[in-house]
Amino acid sequence: MIALPPMPPMPPMSPRPGPLLLPVQDPRAHGVVLDYADMDALVADLVMPDGASMYVMSALETSRELIRHSYYRYEFATVAATHSLFALEHVLVERLAMSGPLPILIERAAETGLFTAELAAELDRSRRLRDSLTQGTETSAALNAAGAIAMVRAVFDAVALLLRPPSPTEETEGMETAESIDVSGSQPEDELARLWEEHRRALYPDSFRGIDIEGVELILLDADVAGLVQRELNGGLDDSGIAILWACIADLDKSLPLINSEYCASYFAKLRTMAKLAAARHIPTAT
């Protein structure tokens, strides 16, 4: 047996470091609060709105904590104000059932009475700040904690208003709009193409991915209808495709009344209208 050389002695362990030092207050943050503990009171009224999705809660909570920690890093205050706009835009798209630039969404929400013109102006101030940062005309040191609180509070207030249960009038408005299109064949030939383009730009409701209602998996139903409509526009459906389309319409009729999300209900109501318009092309004209 070959003798192995002795192992070299282990080096002595370095002494354990002392307690970690707390971050030092950013000197630019002086004058807002006396110490870090007071930052809790500064953000105390930023309460998470009821009914917020995980995405919205994450964006708002991150904004709130960025303000708290701007005590140590001044620029976090500006980042908090602009980051909160992710939550605002997400909720606006769902509540209005439309996509578009943020200033258009804010304006539309004010026009429909979802929040006041004053609140809309405060939200647009945050949006302009975000655009200025993007364009390089402002830096991330544009706001102190107090300024960020005002902007982020406006977003919290707007999101809370947007997440309120809709009135009966609001609840039926989107469906009535979608159902107001006559599918008897009297619409112009390009109406289906227009609806298809609108559908392509619409955002699928994230909270309904993987959800099935009465045995109908909504995201697969959406994909099936979209594929059939595209085939209809690109040359027309055959008999098999028409039969599948009518089956999809039956699934939409069954599941749509059970959807408890305003945006999702509006999304699938418009999908049903598009499907019926495509199917109506293959209904024989009465003689």
Side-chain angles (χ1 to χ4, degrees):
M1 180 180 293
I2 301 174
L4 296 175
M7 294 290 291
M10 294 291 290
M13 294 182 66
S14 57
R16 295 183 64 183
L20 295 176
L21 297 177
L22 290 175
V24 177
Q25 181 186 16
D26 191 313
R28 296 169 294 174
H30 282 300
V32 178
V33 293
L34 292 177
D35 54 33
Y36 179 70
D38 290 337
M39 297 297 287
D40 289 340
L42 192 66
V43 300
D45 65 341
L46 298 180
V47 179
M48 203 62 61
D50 292 336
S53 67
M54 293 300 294
Y55 176 88
V56 172
M57 289 173 62
S58 174
L60 292 180
E61 186 175 32
T62 298
S63 298
R64 184 178 63 198
E65 293 308 303
L66 283 166
I67 293 175
R68 192 196 307 270
H69 291 291
S70 68
Y71 182 86
Y72 299 124
R73 181 67 183 184
Y74 187 85
E75 284 82 359
F76 286 177
T78 300
V79 178
T82 55
H83 188 83
S84 68
L85 295 177
F86 290 125
L88 174 67
E89 187 164 2
H90 185 84
V91 176
L92 280 169
V93 166
E94 286 204 338
R95 184 60 188 267
L96 296 172
M98 61 177 282
S99 57
L102 184 55
I104 300 299
L105 296 174
I106 293 172
E107 182 181 5
R108 176 63 177 158
E111 287 174 351
T112 55
L114 293 173
F115 45 66
T116 65
E118 291 77 14
L119 181 54
E122 184 66 18
L123 296 171
D124 198 58
R125 193 162 71 92
S126 298
R127 190 273 308 170
R128 292 197 306 271
L129 172 61
R130 183 194 65 181
D131 291 351
S132 296
L133 289 167
T134 302
Q135 296 158 8
T137 57
E138 284 281 7
T139 72
S140 295
L143 295 176
N144 63 13
I149 278 286
M151 287 187 172
V152 173
R153 183 183 292 116
V155 171
F156 269 75
D157 291 346
V159 169
L161 290 170
L162 292 166
L163 291 176
R164 289 185 309 178
S167 66
T169 302
E170 290 176 314
E171 204 167 48
T172 59
E173 185 181 57
M175 201 165 294
E176 287 173 354
T177 300
E179 292 299 329
S180 65
I181 299 173
D182 179 13
V183 296
S184 64
S186 60
Q187 295 294 318
E189 284 298 311
D190 61 354
E191 182 67 17
L192 181 60
R194 184 186 67 79
L195 290 174
W196 168 243
E197 287 304 316
E198 288 182 1
H199 182 75
R200 289 180 61 197
R201 293 193 297 269
L203 299 175
Y204 186 86
D206 282 338
S207 58
F208 281 79
R209 294 184 185 277
I211 299 297
D212 70 87
I213 296 178
E214 294 290 307
V216 177
E217 189 160 353
L218 295 181
I219 196 166
L220 295 181
L221 180 59
D222 177 52
D224 287 343
V225 173
L228 291 164
V229 169
Q230 191 171 29
R231 280 168 55 191
E232 172 65 21
L233 290 170
N234 290 341
L237 292 169
D238 56 18
D239 290 344
S240 173
I242 296 166
I244 296 171
L245 182 59
W246 279 111
C248 290
I249 291 170
D251 284 341
L252 285 164
D253 289 340
K254 177 173 65 173
S255 57
L256 187 54
L258 303 177
I259 296 175
N260 60 2
S261 160
E262 180 190 4
Y263 176 73
C264 189
S266 176
Y267 180 94
F268 278 94
K270 292 174 181 177
L271 184 72
R272 180 175 62 177
T273 299
M274 185 171 63
K276 286 186 175 181
L277 189 56
R281 290 182 167 198
H282 299 275
I283 297 175
T285 304
T287 56

